[in-house]
Amino acid sequence: MIAAPRLRGLLLMAPAGAFVALAFLLPLAILLSGSFQAEDGQLGVQRYVQFFADPLNREVFLRTLRIGFLVTLASVILGYVAALAIVDLDPGSRGRVIGLVTLPIMISPVARTYAWIVLLGRTGLVNSVAHEFGFTDAPLRLLYTEPAVFLGLLQLLLPLIILPLVSALENVPRDAVPAARMLGAGWWTIFVRILLPLSREGLGVGGVLVFTGAITAYITPAMLGGAKVLMLETLLYQRVNVTDDIATATVITALLVAMSVVAKALLNRIARGRPLGRGRAR
Amino acid sequence: MIAKLRRIATLVFGVLAVAYLSYVFFHEPGEDAGADRLVISVFGVSQESFRKHLYNPFEAECGCKLVIETGNSSERLSKLAARKTNPEVDLAVFADFDALSAARRGLTDPIDVAKLGNYDRLYEFARDPIGGRMAVGYTVYAAGIVYRTDKVRIESWNDLWQPVLKDRMVLPTLTSSGGPMMLHMVESALGGNDPAFRGALAKVAANKESVVTFYERSAHLVQLFQQGEAWAAVTGRYNLPLLQRLDLPIAWATPQEGDAGGRNVMVLIRGSRRRALALRLMDKWLSTPVQTALALDLTDSPANREVVLPPATASLLTYGPAMIQRMKFVPPAQVLDHRAAWTAAWNETIAR
Amino acid sequence: MTMRPWAIAALVAVLLFLLGPFLIIVGAGLSAGETLTFPPEGLSLRWVWAVLQVDTLRHAFAISFSLAVLSTLGALALGIPAAYALERLDPPGAGAIRALVTAPLVVPGIVVGLALLRYFVIPLGIGIRPALLMSHTALLVPYTVRVVAASLRNLRVDIEEAAILLGASPLTAFVSVVMPNIRNGIVAAFILSFITSFNQVPVSLFLAGPGVSTLPIEMLARIDFTYDPSIAALSALLALLSIAIVFVAERLLGLSRYV
């Protein structure tokens, strides 16, 4: 027998669960199952073999992983730099700065990415400044390159790690850092021994958001990468809507979902403070 | 008491607001007037001009309401295919090879051209572009080379590969409608006539490092010229007016091999219930006044032979016997039959 | 604690990186020139004015706005009871449901759009508008559940229990005791969901159809064939709208706590 409140709880959850299951999970499951079905209807991984046999697909897959990893790494570094500075501020200006960090999340990604097109062109601001200061002899091609996509994604996703890191670091006892300083600990020791362990959860949450955001973003690679710098999302869109190739699309779908889930599991483990590669302590 | 009134007022206001927003969201234009609706699927470009010269006059004439879907050719085609059993669209316009693809997939019906009063005014290339009376052309464009006259000279399609254009050349990607046309001309400039474009694909692959980007839509072309990224590009002539608005010496090349020709065509969607109305719009679109007005706006080059244009407009469009005769159309069937092989070769050697 | 100047300098640099592009787009949108450039060629409101005259954009704005409000309300209607159940009632299968309702967060939008179009909308013969509304609602449920659950967690259980002990039914207790106390959470969930739906691109890309297009999709399409500053001007307008919302929300309830 289930107790009455628990039963009531089940009833209250049911609509949301049923709706998401029907209007989201079921169609997705059907699409994913298609990736394990070969053209002749047999079950197997044949489609994956075909997918990875194509050198373009391999390259796009690796590029997606690479960009996802680099964007996550850069956001973690910049995120800590910003978050540590933010928690050092007095409460009033801290609120204002957090507001400024939140702001870009609310602005349409289309608008935000559009700015990079203006910035990165050969006669754009970046090239003019670089030329002015003598860094470059001739304007560089920046648009439609991997660095352009990297920059666009970094700017898009950085706030998503700053905010959880700030929440996590705010919980670090106020006197922990000065105490460690007095005991002669260096900057790096303080970070690794005190700040990092205490902000692991924020790191995990933010890291997942940034990595999955980077590998699943559509607008940024579409606008800044174009056809020369395809990522899995833009390749998927092209396969579906330009070449009408659903088979490849289902494989990409499965890869993207798998990558998100694996990243989530890995970073959750980091967040719980367990070293990678060892079993659960429970 | 006052608090209660206020709560009731807030509630009433909220309910009204939601009701109004539901109306805005679910309301189909023209629904309440009881008017007929005709759903058309077209390219997104220059909708203001179409609205003025075609949609508004047509709606006034037929007492009906046009519902317009916009997007590029292949995207709209795959949406159409997905909704095959229950089509939303009555009339669609596509690039000629996408129209043939639609016809082969059984998405279209033949056009009863006897019902088109303006049919006899069309150029030959527009009358039955994909065979079986499955489509009628409504506009044509040359696909050729635009270039910075202060930086390079272009007299042949082979001039694209000159060293000065390294990192300054922009080409259409294979999956855009410009892709096959470019390969067609590169192939013939190399002296070949392989329908699989092997020579042209190898040529582009050998020069891929020189290419700034393979653009997907005519999208960023103007920006690429404006920002100094591009000195030469393969593009449809419809981009010329926009390019010439930049303060740059940009010209349309007349390579000795000629230009490629592109056609956009109209098709009737199978299963549509508003056939008569669709044919009426089709005829209106092909009429001399509408074709002239669209040409004067530099929206579309005419497919109607009776359109007369002033020289200033004509020089920016695909217009006049000299221009028309230069164009070489890629047979739509060739595109469909070889596209898979082109894509494989392209992915293998160029897109990486 | 001592303010380290280098930390502040780094923070300013990060903020500049985050907000600089936005300032550029505002500048480019206020240009008086014909083409998209920064620095702008003189200042004017002509492109802001021009973009407001475009019918398709106005229509797309109406669709996007109403879609965002309606799907947010739908997601709240589904999400608030679910969040309450998850936090307070310990229902059987809570873990599974929790995973289920947060799943839309990790699945790429393009994939969701494709799956819904092929295996939900078309087989069931759902119209374009209901399809957009249902898909956006499904996408927003995780946000409403998460944010509302977070604010429930901060609310002490005993107030509610006291109300029930004093004879209130669980429903009355919820409406008169719990709801007012999690109002901020609900408003935050509303704003977050609204903005998520309003800015959504990939799912709508697949599900939009004749006569129904959302604002970001129309913007993306226009970027493909307009080279003038009009889209920059529109971006600037939308950004200012977002700023206004965020500013008010941050003032009132500290929105960033819930992101």
Side-chain angles (χ1 to χ4, degrees):
Chain A
M1 254 320 268
I2 303 169
R6 296 191 66 199
L7 200 61
R8 206 158 57 220
L10 196 63
L11 283 178
L12 286 174
M13 282 188 329
F19 186 81
V20 175
L22 182 72
F24 174 80
L25 206 65
L26 190 66
L28 189 72
I30 301 175
L31 181 70
L32 284 178
S33 66
S35 73
F36 293 103
Q37 207 163 37
E39 273 145 69
D40 52 11
Q42 275 195 322
L43 292 182
V45 292
Q46 197 191 332
R47 289 216 193 280
Y48 291 83
V49 176
Q50 279 168 359
F51 179 83
F52 282 105
D54 184 331
L56 176 72
N57 291 345
R58 275 204 303 274
E59 184 172 290
V60 170
F61 177 73
L62 289 177
R63 176 184 297 130
T64 306
L65 271 182
R66 181 168 63 236
I67 291 182
F69 174 75
L70 289 176
V71 168
T72 310
L73 186 70
S75 336
V76 167
I77 296 170
L78 290 181
Y80 266 110
V81 168
L84 286 170
I86 288 173
V87 292
D88 248 10
L89 296 170
D90 62 274
S93 35
R94 191 190 302 171
R96 272 192 292 276
V97 171
I98 289 177
L100 286 178
V101 174
T102 317
L103 189 61
I105 302 179
M106 306 297 164
I107 299 175
S108 164
V110 176
R112 277 195 280 165
T113 311
Y114 198 38
W116 287 106
I117 294 182
V118 185
L119 271 173
L120 295 177
R122 258 188 226 265
T123 56
L125 200 63
V126 171
N127 261 318
S128 317
V129 170
H131 189 70
E132 197 70 27
F133 287 93
F135 294 135
T136 52
D137 298 330
L140 295 173
R141 165 138 63 83
L142 301 168
L143 267 183
Y144 314 113
T145 61
E146 254 185 64
V149 178
F150 168 82
L151 274 179
L153 285 174
L154 182 61
Q155 192 240 355
L156 196 71
L157 300 168
L158 186 53
L160 299 184
I161 197 166
I162 295 182
L163 296 173
L165 281 181
V166 168
S167 322
L169 289 171
E170 272 177 341
N171 296 331
V172 175
R174 301 254 83 195
D175 42 7
V177 173
R181 278 215 153 258
M182 284 210 298
L183 293 172
W187 174 88
W188 180 246
T189 316
I190 292 178
F191 181 74
V192 172
R193 290 286 177 78
I194 302 175
L195 297 175
L196 192 61
L198 289 171
S199 59
R200 270 208 162 112
E201 195 174 337
L203 177 65
V205 171
V208 171
L209 287 175
V210 171
F211 183 77
T212 52
I215 62 170
T216 62
Y218 169 75
I219 296 164
T220 308
M223 288 172 73
L224 299 178
K228 252 192 151 182
V229 189
L230 284 170
M231 285 177 69
L232 283 176
E233 284 267 289
T234 38
L235 182 70
L236 172 72
Y237 187 76
Q238 211 193 59
R239 286 294 175 267
V240 173
N241 273 344
V242 185
T243 50
D244 202 33
D245 175 4
I246 299 295
T248 308
T250 60
V251 174
I252 300 177
T253 302
L255 289 175
L256 282 170
V257 173
M259 281 157 78
S260 308
V261 171
V262 169
K264 199 172 169 187
L266 274 180
L267 286 162
N268 273 348
R269 186 161 274 209
I270 297 177
R272 285 206 209 91
R274 293 198 189 92
L276 299 175
R278 222 184 290 164
R280 281 166 153 248
R282 225 179 275 181
Chain B
M1 188 63 194
I2 289 189
K4 196 167 186 183
L5 274 178
R6 218 156 100 189
R7 196 174 295 171
I8 292 172
T10 316
L11 200 70
V12 169
F13 175 78
V15 169
L16 285 179
V18 170
Y20 174 72
L21 287 173
S22 310
Y23 171 77
V24 169
F25 183 68
F26 284 105
H27 166 75
E28 304 260 2
E31 202 175 39
D32 37 20
D36 259 345
R37 290 166 63 231
L38 184 68
V39 184
I40 65 172
S41 173
V42 298
F43 293 94
V45 71
S46 306
Q47 283 302 299
E48 286 80 15
S49 171
F50 284 111
R51 173 52 61 199
K52 188 167 154 211
H53 300 303
L54 180 62
Y55 307 156
N56 281 347
F58 183 75
E59 284 179 342
E61 257 171 46
C62 70
C64 61
K65 182 83 197 165
L66 287 173
V67 178
I68 291 128
E69 173 183 55
T70 57
N72 76 33
S73 198
S74 52
E75 283 174 17
R76 289 182 293 111
L77 176 62
S78 56
K79 268 194 183 166
L80 208 60
R83 292 183 179 272
K84 183 178 177 178
T85 48
N86 187 16
E88 304 255 353
V89 177
D90 301 301
L91 183 158
V93 311
F94 290 118
D96 54 6
F97 57 87
D98 278 333
L100 181 61
S101 167
R104 284 185 181 178
R105 289 196 241 177
L107 302 173
T108 62
D109 273 339
I111 298 166
D112 182 1
V113 294
K115 297 224 172 83
L116 301 176
N118 290 301
Y119 183 74
D120 292 333
R121 300 190 170 90
L122 296 179
Y123 284 107
E124 192 53 42
F125 61 74
R127 292 190 176 189
D128 192 14
I130 64 171
R133 296 253 179 275
M134 281 293 190
V136 172
Y138 71 92
T139 186
V140 66
Y141 58 90
I145 304 169
V146 285
Y147 66 107
R148 287 274 297 266
T149 51
D150 56 334
K151 305 285 187 191
V152 281
R153 284 170 66 84
I154 303 264
E155 282 158 359
S156 155
W157 283 79
N158 290 321
D159 289 343
L160 282 175
W161 321 119
Q162 54 188 302
V164 65
L165 282 177
K166 176 154 178 50
D167 248 6
R168 300 290 181 176
M169 177 178 39
V170 177
L171 299 179
T173 188
L174 179 68
T175 47
S176 74
S177 44
M181 294 193 241
M182 165 187 74
L183 292 176
H184 186 66
M185 294 315 294
V186 169
E187 183 77 21
S188 73
L190 292 169
N193 58 356
D194 177 4
F197 294 155
R198 286 190 197 94
L201 283 162
K203 192 75 186 166
V204 175
N207 288 280
K208 68 173 175 182
E209 295 305 327
S210 308
V211 179
V212 177
T213 184
F214 295 98
Y215 67 95
E216 209 133 351
R217 307 168 188 190
S218 49
H220 303 121
L221 195 66
V222 174
Q223 210 139 33
L224 288 163
F225 270 96
Q226 183 205 341
Q227 302 194 331
E229 300 265 359
W231 287 352
V234 174
T235 175
R237 195 167 159 92
Y238 47 80
N239 279 324
L240 189 62
L242 289 162
L243 286 165
Q244 294 205 329
R245 237 189 271 161
L246 302 174
D247 271 335
L248 294 168
I250 291 173
W252 183 260
T254 39
Q256 58 199 38
E257 300 89 357
D259 291 334
R263 281 171 293 202
N264 290 339
V265 304
M266 300 190 263
V267 298
L268 297 174
I269 303 305
R270 181 168 292 175
S272 142
R273 291 178 301 270
R274 290 160 289 231
R275 190 48 49 84
L277 211 50
L279 279 166
R280 212 167 139 190
L281 176 68
M282 206 177 253
D283 199 31
K284 175 101 186 160
W285 199 327
L286 298 174
S287 70
T288 314
V290 170
Q291 291 258 318
T292 309
L294 291 173
L296 288 174
D297 270 10
L298 301 177
T299 300
D300 270 337
S301 296
N304 180 324
R305 277 181 304 188
E306 292 182 2
V307 172
V308 181
L309 297 176
T313 311
S315 67
L316 289 167
L317 293 172
T318 307
Y319 178 78
M323 198 81 212
I324 299 285
Q325 251 137 51
R326 282 178 57 76
M327 285 191 297
K328 299 184 170 62
F329 292 97
V330 189
Q334 185 190 344
V335 178
L336 296 190
D337 296 341
H338 292 275
R339 191 156 54 178
W342 297 339
T343 309
W346 183 279
N347 288 351
E348 177 87 22
T349 58
I350 297 169
R352 305 201 293 129
Chain C
M1 263 190 227
T2 50
M3 288 276 200
R4 294 206 207 85
W6 62 262
I8 299 303
L11 179 62
V12 169
V14 169
L15 286 178
L16 207 62
F17 175 66
L18 286 179
L19 298 170
F22 157 67
L23 298 176
I24 299 236
I25 215 71
V26 172
L30 294 177
S31 169
E34 289 287 330
T35 50
L36 186 70
T37 45
F38 189 88
E41 304 158 356
L43 289 178
S44 91
L45 287 175
R46 69 179 269 214
W47 293 109
V48 176
W49 183 242
V51 84
L52 292 175
Q53 310 295 310
V54 181
D55 268 350
T56 47
L57 290 176
R58 284 212 307 254
H59 186 234
F61 177 83
I63 292 280
S64 274
F65 189 89
S66 49
L67 172 62
V69 172
L70 297 177
S71 56
T72 296
L73 290 177
L76 282 173
L78 293 170
I80 295 176
Y84 183 77
L86 284 173
E87 282 302 314
R88 291 293 152 82
L89 301 175
D90 183 32
I97 296 283
R98 202 185 292 269
L100 176 64
V101 297
T102 49
L105 285 179
V106 284
V107 180
I110 288 275
V111 170
V112 177
L114 176 66
L116 289 189
L117 179 67
R118 295 236 150 199
Y119 305 110
F120 182 63
V121 172
I122 291 174
L124 297 183
I126 301 173
I128 293 168
R129 291 156 210 261
L132 273 175
L133 182 55
M134 290 167 97
S135 63
H136 276 230
T137 304
L139 282 183
L140 299 181
V141 165
Y143 292 92
T144 56
V145 171
R146 262 187 3 171
V147 175
V148 174
S151 63
L152 275 169
R153 220 168 292 145
N154 296 333
L155 177 67
R156 284 162 54 191
V157 185
D158 47 9
I159 316 181
E160 201 182 327
E161 280 168 354
I164 293 175
L165 276 180
L166 291 172
S169 73
L171 184 66
T172 320
F174 181 77
V175 172
S176 55
V177 179
V178 180
M179 280 284 259
N181 281 300
I182 59 167
R183 209 181 61 193
N184 283 359
I186 293 176
V187 174
F190 186 97
I191 292 173
L192 207 61
S193 305
F194 176 89
I195 285 174
T196 305
S197 162
F198 196 82
N199 290 339
Q200 219 294 322
V201 169
V203 174
S204 314
L205 211 51
F206 278 94
L207 297 181
V212 200
S213 188
T214 67
L215 190 59
I217 289 184
E218 275 308 305
M219 284 171 72
L220 266 182
R222 287 183 82 83
I223 287 173
D224 281 343
F225 53 78
T226 51
Y227 316 98
D228 58 43
S230 60
I231 293 301
L234 180 57
S235 302
L237 275 182
L238 288 179
L240 290 176
L241 191 74
S242 309
I243 293 177
I245 295 175
V246 173
F247 228 79
V248 172
E250 188 64 41
R251 267 286 146 78
L252 295 181
L253 22 110
L255 183 66
S256 51
R257 303 278 128 170
Y258 296 103
V259 173

